[in-house]
Amino acid sequence: MKSDRLLSILLLLQTRGRVPAHELATRLEVSVRTIYRDIEALSASGVPVYAERGRHGGIELLAGFRTDVTGLTADESRALFILAAQGAHAALGLDAALGSALRKVMAALPAPHRPAAEATSRRVLVDATRWKGGPQPAVDLETLQDAVFADRRLRLNYRHGGDAQPHTYTVDPYGLVSKAGVWYLVADRRAKPQLFRADRVRSAALLADPVRRRPGVELADAWEVLRRQVEERPGGIEVTVRVRRERLDMFRRLNASSLAALPEDDGESAWVTARLSYGFVREARQLLMFSDLVEVVSPPEVREELARAAASVTELYQ
């Protein structure tokens, strides 16, 4: 709608100052000619907006002009009050700031939208942590935050999963990501993206050197590369199992990240066939948690590994 676009232009100019017409056109997905028509419409309605031509030109508001209009629709008002991942704000030390910001937004909302926004905050809650995920270790994000916002390099003392001793790295941070309640530092190490779990950082020191990020790469770009590496990493071994039907839902839930394909379920058999993908044979030992409710069909080396592990457990309790 044109009215929404005019309001978007007004708020962008109020926030950014001078903005090139082609940038406004790209952001609002219209032509430059449409932007200039919208500027004329704003000017005709009394908004002191003007355009300057030339290499360093752009569109801006008269200095000192401000508007109190929020422009929020009812749905936008509700969206602001759905507090996703509240733990994230606490970990960043922003709980108080978030509450204060929302109070200011509530005061600025059009009166008809306030009851819906307030009801949303009491009726919808988003908890990003998983069920039975176990207690999360305390994470000190202060130094990581300082490096991210000050654009400084970091020296990390970091322990990888499965390693007994930590390693020391000098990294160039892009930013912090909270994934299912777990914080990660996204950084370049030797000009290549790498993911560091914040709860495995034993110590972090801010360096005097400015950050050395790859040109044109933003946090979202680096995160996308790393996310794909994790989610699309090929498994080293494929395991075929039979699962008791009565435990199929639990099996799928606990092995979601390892499932190579959805279980083949005819809806009648007592056993359901499934395929899993693991990085190495010993990783399949986790199937022992299902006792006799899951049977490994193939490959033979996984059956042998589970048999050895089960024998060791039996010996321990004899």
Side-chain angles (χ1 to χ4, degrees):
M1 294 177 59
K2 182 176 180 179
S3 58
D4 289 339
R5 193 171 65 247
L6 292 177
L7 184 56
S8 295
I9 292 173
L10 180 58
L11 294 175
L12 280 169
L13 295 178
Q14 187 168 288
T15 303
R16 298 271 308 279
R18 180 178 298 180
V19 182
H22 67 83
E23 183 177 334
L24 288 173
T26 300
R27 299 250 333 230
L28 300 176
E29 299 181 345
V30 295
S31 67
V32 172
R33 179 175 294 181
T34 297
I35 290 296
Y36 280 119
R37 283 201 299 264
D38 289 344
I39 296 305
E40 291 177 2
L42 284 172
S43 181
S45 65
V47 176
V49 59
Y50 64 96
E52 283 194 1
R53 307 282 182 176
R55 181 179 178 184
H56 300 291
I59 298 167
E60 62 182 306
L61 297 169
L62 192 66
F65 176 79
R66 303 291 293 177
T67 177
D68 293 331
V69 64
T70 66
L72 292 174
T73 66
D75 285 344
E76 290 168 341
S77 305
R78 291 191 185 98
L80 285 174
F81 284 82
I82 296 177
L83 306 184
Q86 294 181 2
H89 302 106
L92 295 172
L94 296 175
D95 263 0
L98 175 67
S100 175
L102 288 176
R103 285 191 295 272
K104 291 177 182 178
V105 171
M106 179 66 80
L109 285 177
H113 297 344
R114 291 175 191 168
E118 185 178 1
T120 298
S121 67
R122 291 184 284 109
R123 297 290 181 262
V124 180
L125 176 66
V126 178
D127 187 341
T129 58
R130 295 179 178 177
W131 289 111
K132 298 181 180 180
Q136 294 295 322
V139 178
D140 183 6
L141 294 175
E142 184 175 355
T143 304
L144 304 185
Q145 280 192 87
D146 289 345
V148 166
F149 291 115
D151 289 332
R152 301 263 291 280
R153 305 190 91 192
L154 265 175
R155 179 170 290 121
L156 300 180
N157 191 249
Y158 185 82
R159 184 187 65 80
H160 293 277
D163 287 358
Q165 298 298 323
H167 302 266
T168 300
Y169 301 117
T170 297
V171 301
D172 298 290
Y174 285 94
L176 295 165
V177 174
S178 179
K179 173 76 168 173
V182 178
W183 281 100
Y184 295 90
L185 173 71
V186 176
D188 272 356
R189 177 173 170 259
R190 296 177 179 173
K192 293 183 179 180
Q194 192 164 334
L195 207 55
F196 299 90
R197 274 185 62 143
D199 57 7
R200 292 179 183 165
V201 175
R202 293 294 172 260
S203 64
L206 214 62
L207 302 181
D209 301 332
V211 72
R212 304 172 189 172
R213 301 187 184 111
R214 284 166 289 143
V217 179
E218 298 291 339
L219 171 61
D221 305 317
W223 169 252
E224 180 65 14
V225 170
L226 294 166
R227 183 191 64 79
R228 287 185 176 181
Q229 287 178 1
V230 173
E231 295 181 358
E232 299 175 7
R233 180 173 52 201
I237 185 169
E238 188 169 285
V239 179
T240 302
V241 300
R242 296 197 311 151
V243 185
R244 286 279 187 185
R245 174 177 301 283
E246 61 267 26
R247 287 293 180 267
L248 181 58
D249 286 344
M250 181 176 68
F251 174 84
R252 292 178 63 172
R253 195 164 56 248
L254 296 180
N255 291 281
S257 62
S258 301
L259 278 174
L262 293 177
E264 300 168 8
D265 186 3
D266 61 8
E268 298 178 359
S269 304
W271 293 86
V272 178
T273 301
R275 289 186 293 114
L276 302 165
S277 181
Y278 292 119
F280 46 90
V281 171
R282 285 180 63 87
E283 194 176 352
R285 284 190 172 202
Q286 62 188 274
L287 294 173
L288 289 174
M289 77 171 77
F290 294 98
S291 184
D292 59 349
L293 300 173
V294 172
E295 178 194 4
V296 172
V297 178
S298 65
E301 57 266 33
V302 172
R303 289 178 59 90
E304 294 166 3
E305 178 68 25
L306 266 60
R308 283 193 297 270
S312 299
V313 173
T314 301
E315 184 179 348
L316 182 64
Y317 288 98
Q318 284 180 342

PDB file of all heavy atoms in Angstrom, residues 115-148:
ATOM      1  N   PRO A 115      -4.268  -2.925  24.071  1.00  0.00           N
ATOM      2  CA  PRO A 115      -4.778  -4.145  24.720  1.00  0.00           C
ATOM      3  C   PRO A 115      -4.304  -5.419  24.040  1.00  0.00           C
ATOM      4  O   PRO A 115      -3.947  -6.390  24.720  1.00  0.00           O
ATOM      5  CB  PRO A 115      -6.305  -3.983  24.612  1.00  0.00           C
ATOM      6  CG  PRO A 115      -6.523  -2.513  24.477  1.00  0.00           C
ATOM      7  CD  PRO A 115      -5.356  -2.013  23.684  1.00  0.00           C
ATOM      8  N   ALA A 116      -4.262  -5.444  22.691  1.00  0.00           N
ATOM      9  CA  ALA A 116      -3.828  -6.644  21.973  1.00  0.00           C
ATOM     10  C   ALA A 116      -2.357  -6.931  22.248  1.00  0.00           C
ATOM     11  O   ALA A 116      -1.956  -8.081  22.440  1.00  0.00           O
ATOM     12  CB  ALA A 116      -4.065  -6.481  20.469  1.00  0.00           C
ATOM     13  N   ALA A 117      -1.521  -5.882  22.269  1.00  0.00           N
ATOM     14  CA  ALA A 117      -0.090  -6.082  22.522  1.00  0.00           C
ATOM     15  C   ALA A 117       0.136  -6.590  23.932  1.00  0.00           C
ATOM     16  O   ALA A 117       0.950  -7.490  24.163  1.00  0.00           O
ATOM     17  CB  ALA A 117       0.653  -4.767  22.306  1.00  0.00           C
ATOM     18  N   GLU A 118      -0.582  -6.027  24.899  1.00  0.00           N
ATOM     19  CA  GLU A 118      -0.420  -6.470  26.288  1.00  0.00           C
ATOM     20  C   GLU A 118      -0.891  -7.906  26.454  1.00  0.00           C
ATOM     21  O   GLU A 118      -0.256  -8.717  27.146  1.00  0.00           O
ATOM     22  CB  GLU A 118      -1.201  -5.543  27.213  1.00  0.00           C
ATOM     23  CG  GLU A 118      -0.989  -5.857  28.683  1.00  0.00           C
ATOM     24  CD  GLU A 118      -1.731  -4.891  29.591  1.00  0.00           C
ATOM     25  OE1 GLU A 118      -2.421  -3.986  29.069  1.00  0.00           O
ATOM     26  OE2 GLU A 118      -1.624  -5.054  30.814  1.00  0.00           O
ATOM     27  N   ALA A 119      -2.010  -8.266  25.804  1.00  0.00           N
ATOM     28  CA  ALA A 119      -2.518  -9.633  25.896  1.00  0.00           C
ATOM     29  C   ALA A 119      -1.534 -10.621  25.279  1.00  0.00           C
ATOM     30  O   ALA A 119      -1.348 -11.731  25.780  1.00  0.00           O
ATOM     31  CB  ALA A 119      -3.872  -9.740  25.200  1.00  0.00           C
ATOM     32  N   THR A 120      -0.866 -10.217  24.188  1.00  0.00           N
ATOM     33  CA  THR A 120       0.103 -11.100  23.529  1.00  0.00           C
ATOM     34  C   THR A 120       1.242 -11.453  24.466  1.00  0.00           C
ATOM     35  O   THR A 120       1.690 -12.607  24.527  1.00  0.00           O
ATOM     36  CB  THR A 120       0.655 -10.429  22.265  1.00  0.00           C
ATOM     37  OG1 THR A 120      -0.417 -10.205  21.351  1.00  0.00           O
ATOM     38  CG2 THR A 120       1.705 -11.303  21.594  1.00  0.00           C
ATOM     39  N   SER A 121       1.737 -10.479  25.215  1.00  0.00           N
ATOM     40  CA  SER A 121       2.856 -10.738  26.117  1.00  0.00           C
ATOM     41  C   SER A 121       2.474 -11.697  27.226  1.00  0.00           C
ATOM     42  O   SER A 121       3.338 -12.346  27.818  1.00  0.00           O
ATOM     43  CB  SER A 121       3.367  -9.422  26.710  1.00  0.00           C
ATOM     44  OG  SER A 121       2.397  -8.849  27.564  1.00  0.00           O
ATOM     45  N   ARG A 122       1.166 -11.794  27.525  1.00  0.00           N
ATOM     46  CA  ARG A 122       0.722 -12.705  28.586  1.00  0.00           C
ATOM     47  C   ARG A 122       0.216 -14.042  28.048  1.00  0.00           C
ATOM     48  O   ARG A 122       0.074 -14.996  28.807  1.00  0.00           O
ATOM     49  CB  ARG A 122      -0.400 -12.050  29.407  1.00  0.00           C
ATOM     50  CG  ARG A 122       0.095 -10.873  30.245  1.00  0.00           C
ATOM     51  CD  ARG A 122      -1.005 -10.302  31.126  1.00  0.00           C
ATOM     52  NE  ARG A 122      -1.949  -9.479  30.355  1.00  0.00           N
ATOM     53  CZ  ARG A 122      -3.191  -9.833  30.086  1.00  0.00           C
ATOM     54  NH1 ARG A 122      -3.651 -11.003  30.488  1.00  0.00           N
ATOM     55  NH2 ARG A 122      -3.982  -9.040  29.405  1.00  0.00           N
ATOM     56  N   ARG A 123      -0.055 -14.107  26.746  1.00  0.00           N
ATOM     57  CA  ARG A 123      -0.657 -15.314  26.177  1.00  0.00           C
ATOM     58  C   ARG A 123       0.295 -16.124  25.300  1.00  0.00           C
ATOM     59  O   ARG A 123       0.012 -17.268  24.977  1.00  0.00           O
ATOM     60  CB  ARG A 123      -1.889 -14.934  25.341  1.00  0.00           C
ATOM     61  CG  ARG A 123      -3.005 -14.299  26.139  1.00  0.00           C
ATOM     62  CD  ARG A 123      -3.671 -15.302  27.057  1.00  0.00           C
ATOM     63  NE  ARG A 123      -4.754 -14.688  27.809  1.00  0.00           N
ATOM     64  CZ  ARG A 123      -4.649 -14.236  29.049  1.00  0.00           C
ATOM     65  NH1 ARG A 123      -3.467 -14.333  29.665  1.00  0.00           N
ATOM     66  NH2 ARG A 123      -5.663 -13.684  29.666  1.00  0.00           N
ATOM     67  N   VAL A 124       1.421 -15.533  24.861  1.00  0.00           N
ATOM     68  CA  VAL A 124       2.369 -16.229  23.995  1.00  0.00           C
ATOM     69  C   VAL A 124       3.765 -16.146  24.610  1.00  0.00           C
ATOM     70  O   VAL A 124       4.226 -15.057  24.943  1.00  0.00           O
ATOM     71  CB  VAL A 124       2.408 -15.628  22.569  1.00  0.00           C
ATOM     72  CG1 VAL A 124       3.412 -16.384  21.707  1.00  0.00           C
ATOM     73  CG2 VAL A 124       1.023 -15.664  21.937  1.00  0.00           C
ATOM     74  N   LEU A 125       4.390 -17.295  24.775  1.00  0.00           N
ATOM     75  CA  LEU A 125       5.744 -17.350  25.325  1.00  0.00           C
ATOM     76  C   LEU A 125       6.586 -18.261  24.449  1.00  0.00           C
ATOM     77  O   LEU A 125       6.161 -19.356  24.078  1.00  0.00           O
ATOM     78  CB  LEU A 125       5.712 -17.907  26.755  1.00  0.00           C
ATOM     79  CG  LEU A 125       7.064 -18.126  27.439  1.00  0.00           C
ATOM     80  CD1 LEU A 125       7.759 -16.803  27.664  1.00  0.00           C
ATOM     81  CD2 LEU A 125       6.888 -18.872  28.757  1.00  0.00           C
ATOM     82  N   VAL A 126       7.768 -17.826  24.089  1.00  0.00           N
ATOM     83  CA  VAL A 126       8.684 -18.624  23.278  1.00  0.00           C
ATOM     84  C   VAL A 126       9.871 -19.025  24.145  1.00  0.00           C
ATOM     85  O   VAL A 126      10.592 -18.165  24.648  1.00  0.00           O
ATOM     86  CB  VAL A 126       9.168 -17.847  22.033  1.00  0.00           C
ATOM     87  CG1 VAL A 126      10.165 -18.697  21.242  1.00  0.00           C
ATOM     88  CG2 VAL A 126       7.984 -17.455  21.163  1.00  0.00           C
ATOM     89  N   ASP A 127      10.060 -20.336  24.328  1.00  0.00           N
ATOM     90  CA  ASP A 127      11.197 -20.863  25.081  1.00  0.00           C
ATOM     91  C   ASP A 127      12.065 -21.637  24.103  1.00  0.00           C
ATOM     92  O   ASP A 127      11.666 -22.675  23.573  1.00  0.00           O
ATOM     93  CB  ASP A 127      10.708 -21.780  26.204  1.00  0.00           C
ATOM     94  CG  ASP A 127      11.833 -22.224  27.126  1.00  0.00           C
ATOM     95  OD1 ASP A 127      13.007 -22.135  26.716  1.00  0.00           O
ATOM     96  OD2 ASP A 127      11.546 -22.668  28.255  1.00  0.00           O
ATOM     97  N   ALA A 128      13.277 -21.139  23.824  1.00  0.00           N
ATOM     98  CA  ALA A 128      14.119 -21.721  22.781  1.00  0.00           C
ATOM     99  C   ALA A 128      14.920 -22.929  23.249  1.00  0.00           C
ATOM    100  O   ALA A 128      15.603 -23.554  22.450  1.00  0.00           O
ATOM    101  CB  ALA A 128      15.075 -20.663  22.241  1.00  0.00           C
ATOM    102  N   THR A 129      14.867 -23.259  24.529  1.00  0.00           N
ATOM    103  CA  THR A 129      15.646 -24.394  25.021  1.00  0.00           C
ATOM    104  C   THR A 129      14.893 -25.703  24.798  1.00  0.00           C
ATOM    105  O   THR A 129      13.666 -25.735  24.810  1.00  0.00           O
ATOM    106  CB  THR A 129      15.958 -24.243  26.520  1.00  0.00           C
ATOM    107  OG1 THR A 129      14.733 -24.118  27.247  1.00  0.00           O
ATOM    108  CG2 THR A 129      16.807 -23.005  26.754  1.00  0.00           C
ATOM    109  N   ARG A 130      15.661 -26.797  24.599  1.00  0.00           N
ATOM    110  CA  ARG A 130      15.046 -28.088  24.325  1.00  0.00           C
ATOM    111  C   ARG A 130      14.638 -28.789  25.612  1.00  0.00           C
ATOM    112  O   ARG A 130      15.203 -28.545  26.670  1.00  0.00           O
ATOM    113  CB  ARG A 130      16.036 -28.985  23.568  1.00  0.00           C
ATOM    114  CG  ARG A 130      16.386 -28.473  22.188  1.00  0.00           C
ATOM    115  CD  ARG A 130      17.388 -29.389  21.515  1.00  0.00           C
ATOM    116  NE  ARG A 130      17.701 -28.949  20.169  1.00  0.00           N
ATOM    117  CZ  ARG A 130      18.577 -29.543  19.394  1.00  0.00           C
ATOM    118  NH1 ARG A 130      19.245 -30.596  19.827  1.00  0.00           N
ATOM    119  NH2 ARG A 130      18.811 -29.092  18.177  1.00  0.00           N
ATOM    120  N   TRP A 131      13.669 -29.690  25.490  1.00  0.00           N
ATOM    121  CA  TRP A 131      13.279 -30.523  26.617  1.00  0.00           C
ATOM    122  C   TRP A 131      14.443 -31.431  27.010  1.00  0.00           C
ATOM    123  O   TRP A 131      15.140 -31.968  26.164  1.00  0.00           O
ATOM    124  CB  TRP A 131      12.073 -31.403  26.260  1.00  0.00           C
ATOM    125  CG  TRP A 131      10.787 -30.652  26.109  1.00  0.00           C
ATOM    126  CD1 TRP A 131      10.107 -30.448  24.943  1.00  0.00           C
ATOM    127  CD2 TRP A 131      10.029 -30.000  27.127  1.00  0.00           C
ATOM    128  NE1 TRP A 131       8.983 -29.719  25.182  1.00  0.00           N
ATOM    129  CE2 TRP A 131       8.893 -29.438  26.503  1.00  0.00           C
ATOM    130  CE3 TRP A 131      10.195 -29.848  28.512  1.00  0.00           C
ATOM    131  CZ2 TRP A 131       7.933 -28.722  27.224  1.00  0.00           C
ATOM    132  CZ3 TRP A 131       9.232 -29.129  29.220  1.00  0.00           C
ATOM    133  CH2 TRP A 131       8.121 -28.587  28.578  1.00  0.00           C
ATOM    134  N   LYS A 132      14.601 -31.613  28.286  1.00  0.00           N
ATOM    135  CA  LYS A 132      15.589 -32.544  28.830  1.00  0.00           C
ATOM    136  C   LYS A 132      16.976 -32.295  28.239  1.00  0.00           C
ATOM    137  O   LYS A 132      17.719 -33.214  27.955  1.00  0.00           O
ATOM    138  CB  LYS A 132      15.169 -34.004  28.567  1.00  0.00           C
ATOM    139  CG  LYS A 132      13.853 -34.365  29.248  1.00  0.00           C
ATOM    140  CD  LYS A 132      13.477 -35.805  29.008  1.00  0.00           C
ATOM    141  CE  LYS A 132      12.167 -36.145  29.703  1.00  0.00           C
ATOM    142  NZ  LYS A 132      11.768 -37.547  29.497  1.00  0.00           N
ATOM    143  N   GLY A 133      17.267 -31.039  28.039  1.00  0.00           N
ATOM    144  CA  GLY A 133      18.569 -30.698  27.495  1.00  0.00           C
ATOM    145  C   GLY A 133      19.670 -30.699  28.534  1.00  0.00           C
ATOM    146  O   GLY A 133      20.835 -30.565  28.209  1.00  0.00           O
ATOM    147  N   GLY A 134      19.267 -30.877  29.826  1.00  0.00           N
ATOM    148  CA  GLY A 134      20.251 -30.879  30.887  1.00  0.00           C
ATOM    149  C   GLY A 134      20.604 -29.458  31.280  1.00  0.00           C
ATOM    150  O   GLY A 134      20.351 -28.493  30.539  1.00  0.00           O
ATOM    151  N   PRO A 135      21.194 -29.265  32.440  1.00  0.00           N
ATOM    152  CA  PRO A 135      21.568 -27.926  32.883  1.00  0.00           C
ATOM    153  C   PRO A 135      22.646 -27.330  31.986  1.00  0.00           C
ATOM    154  O   PRO A 135      23.600 -28.005  31.619  1.00  0.00           O
ATOM    155  CB  PRO A 135      22.089 -28.156  34.309  1.00  0.00           C
ATOM    156  CG  PRO A 135      22.523 -29.601  34.325  1.00  0.00           C
ATOM    157  CD  PRO A 135      21.580 -30.318  33.412  1.00  0.00           C
ATOM    158  N   GLN A 136      22.462 -26.082  31.627  1.00  0.00           N
ATOM    159  CA  GLN A 136      23.429 -25.416  30.758  1.00  0.00           C
ATOM    160  C   GLN A 136      24.527 -24.770  31.606  1.00  0.00           C
ATOM    161  O   GLN A 136      24.232 -24.117  32.607  1.00  0.00           O
ATOM    162  CB  GLN A 136      22.740 -24.341  29.912  1.00  0.00           C
ATOM    163  CG  GLN A 136      21.744 -24.885  28.912  1.00  0.00           C
ATOM    164  CD  GLN A 136      22.401 -25.730  27.843  1.00  0.00           C
ATOM    165  OE1 GLN A 136      23.495 -25.430  27.377  1.00  0.00           O
ATOM    166  NE2 GLN A 136      21.748 -26.810  27.449  1.00  0.00           N
ATOM    167  N   PRO A 137      25.775 -24.941  31.231  1.00  0.00           N
ATOM    168  CA  PRO A 137      26.857 -24.310  31.991  1.00  0.00           C
ATOM    169  C   PRO A 137      26.785 -22.798  31.882  1.00  0.00           C
ATOM    170  O   PRO A 137      26.283 -22.254  30.895  1.00  0.00           O
ATOM    171  CB  PRO A 137      28.124 -24.851  31.318  1.00  0.00           C
ATOM    172  CG  PRO A 137      27.685 -25.247  29.944  1.00  0.00           C
ATOM    173  CD  PRO A 137      26.265 -25.710  30.077  1.00  0.00           C
ATOM    174  N   ALA A 138      27.263 -22.141  32.928  1.00  0.00           N
ATOM    175  CA  ALA A 138      27.264 -20.677  32.918  1.00  0.00           C
ATOM    176  C   ALA A 138      28.182 -20.180  31.800  1.00  0.00           C
ATOM    177  O   ALA A 138      29.262 -20.719  31.589  1.00  0.00           O
ATOM    178  CB  ALA A 138      27.725 -20.149  34.267  1.00  0.00           C
ATOM    179  N   VAL A 139      27.720 -19.167  31.090  1.00  0.00           N
ATOM    180  CA  VAL A 139      28.480 -18.633  29.973  1.00  0.00           C
ATOM    181  C   VAL A 139      28.740 -17.150  30.218  1.00  0.00           C
ATOM    182  O   VAL A 139      27.812 -16.381  30.480  1.00  0.00           O
ATOM    183  CB  VAL A 139      27.719 -18.808  28.639  1.00  0.00           C
ATOM    184  CG1 VAL A 139      28.502 -18.202  27.491  1.00  0.00           C
ATOM    185  CG2 VAL A 139      27.453 -20.287  28.382  1.00  0.00           C
ATOM    186  N   ASP A 140      30.002 -16.750  30.164  1.00  0.00           N
ATOM    187  CA  ASP A 140      30.383 -15.349  30.311  1.00  0.00           C
ATOM    188  C   ASP A 140      30.590 -14.758  28.920  1.00  0.00           C
ATOM    189  O   ASP A 140      31.595 -15.019  28.264  1.00  0.00           O
ATOM    190  CB  ASP A 140      31.658 -15.239  31.149  1.00  0.00           C
ATOM    191  CG  ASP A 140      32.050 -13.785  31.383  1.00  0.00           C
ATOM    192  OD1 ASP A 140      31.266 -12.893  30.998  1.00  0.00           O
ATOM    193  OD2 ASP A 140      33.137 -13.546  31.948  1.00  0.00           O
ATOM    194  N   LEU A 141      29.607 -13.973  28.491  1.00  0.00           N
ATOM    195  CA  LEU A 141      29.659 -13.417  27.137  1.00  0.00           C
ATOM    196  C   LEU A 141      30.234 -12.001  27.103  1.00  0.00           C
ATOM    197  O   LEU A 141      30.342 -11.415  26.021  1.00  0.00           O
ATOM    198  CB  LEU A 141      28.254 -13.391  26.533  1.00  0.00           C
ATOM    199  CG  LEU A 141      27.588 -14.746  26.271  1.00  0.00           C
ATOM    200  CD1 LEU A 141      26.156 -14.535  25.797  1.00  0.00           C
ATOM    201  CD2 LEU A 141      28.360 -15.534  25.246  1.00  0.00           C
ATOM    202  N   GLU A 142      30.613 -11.470  28.242  1.00  0.00           N
ATOM    203  CA  GLU A 142      30.993 -10.059  28.294  1.00  0.00           C
ATOM    204  C   GLU A 142      32.175  -9.742  27.380  1.00  0.00           C
ATOM    205  O   GLU A 142      32.113  -8.807  26.568  1.00  0.00           O
ATOM    206  CB  GLU A 142      31.326  -9.660  29.732  1.00  0.00           C
ATOM    207  CG  GLU A 142      31.632  -8.176  29.873  1.00  0.00           C
ATOM    208  CD  GLU A 142      31.848  -7.764  31.319  1.00  0.00           C
ATOM    209  OE1 GLU A 142      31.664  -8.609  32.216  1.00  0.00           O
ATOM    210  OE2 GLU A 142      32.213  -6.588  31.537  1.00  0.00           O
ATOM    211  N   THR A 143      33.256 -10.512  27.478  1.00  0.00           N
ATOM    212  CA  THR A 143      34.434 -10.231  26.654  1.00  0.00           C
ATOM    213  C   THR A 143      34.137 -10.475  25.178  1.00  0.00           C
ATOM    214  O   THR A 143      34.601  -9.728  24.303  1.00  0.00           O
ATOM    215  CB  THR A 143      35.624 -11.095  27.088  1.00  0.00           C
ATOM    216  OG1 THR A 143      35.867 -10.886  28.483  1.00  0.00           O
ATOM    217  CG2 THR A 143      36.877 -10.738  26.312  1.00  0.00           C
ATOM    218  N   LEU A 144      33.363 -11.536  24.886  1.00  0.00           N
ATOM    219  CA  LEU A 144      33.005 -11.819  23.493  1.00  0.00           C
ATOM    220  C   LEU A 144      32.192 -10.662  22.917  1.00  0.00           C
ATOM    221  O   LEU A 144      32.399 -10.244  21.773  1.00  0.00           O
ATOM    222  CB  LEU A 144      32.222 -13.124  23.404  1.00  0.00           C
ATOM    223  CG  LEU A 144      32.899 -14.369  23.986  1.00  0.00           C
ATOM    224  CD1 LEU A 144      32.044 -15.605  23.713  1.00  0.00           C
ATOM    225  CD2 LEU A 144      34.293 -14.555  23.418  1.00  0.00           C
ATOM    226  N   GLN A 145      31.244 -10.154  23.710  1.00  0.00           N
ATOM    227  CA  GLN A 145      30.460  -8.999  23.265  1.00  0.00           C
ATOM    228  C   GLN A 145      31.339  -7.786  23.011  1.00  0.00           C
ATOM    229  O   GLN A 145      31.188  -7.085  22.003  1.00  0.00           O
ATOM    230  CB  GLN A 145      29.435  -8.606  24.336  1.00  0.00           C
ATOM    231  CG  GLN A 145      28.177  -9.428  24.370  1.00  0.00           C
ATOM    232  CD  GLN A 145      27.166  -8.752  25.268  1.00  0.00           C
ATOM    233  OE1 GLN A 145      26.413  -7.886  24.829  1.00  0.00           O
ATOM    234  NE2 GLN A 145      27.157  -9.132  26.538  1.00  0.00           N
ATOM    235  N   ASP A 146      32.267  -7.540  23.942  1.00  0.00           N
ATOM    236  CA  ASP A 146      33.154  -6.377  23.801  1.00  0.00           C
ATOM    237  C   ASP A 146      33.923  -6.444  22.487  1.00  0.00           C
ATOM    238  O   ASP A 146      34.061  -5.447  21.774  1.00  0.00           O
ATOM    239  CB  ASP A 146      34.131  -6.321  24.975  1.00  0.00           C
ATOM    240  CG  ASP A 146      33.450  -5.939  26.287  1.00  0.00           C
ATOM    241  OD1 ASP A 146      32.306  -5.447  26.225  1.00  0.00           O
ATOM    242  OD2 ASP A 146      34.056  -6.157  27.358  1.00  0.00           O
ATOM    243  N   ALA A 147      34.428  -7.633  22.154  1.00  0.00           N
ATOM    244  CA  ALA A 147      35.198  -7.789  20.920  1.00  0.00           C
ATOM    245  C   ALA A 147      34.321  -7.577  19.698  1.00  0.00           C
ATOM    246  O   ALA A 147      34.731  -6.939  18.716  1.00  0.00           O
ATOM    247  CB  ALA A 147      35.837  -9.174  20.881  1.00  0.00           C
ATOM    248  N   VAL A 148      33.107  -8.104  19.742  1.00  0.00           N
ATOM    249  CA  VAL A 148      32.188  -7.994  18.612  1.00  0.00           C
ATOM    250  C   VAL A 148      31.834  -6.538  18.334  1.00  0.00           C
ATOM    251  O   VAL A 148      31.850  -6.078  17.183  1.00  0.00           O
ATOM    252  CB  VAL A 148      30.917  -8.828  18.880  1.00  0.00           C
ATOM    253  CG1 VAL A 148      29.816  -8.457  17.901  1.00  0.00           C
ATOM    254  CG2 VAL A 148      31.228 -10.310  18.791  1.00  0.00           C
TER     255      VAL A 148
END
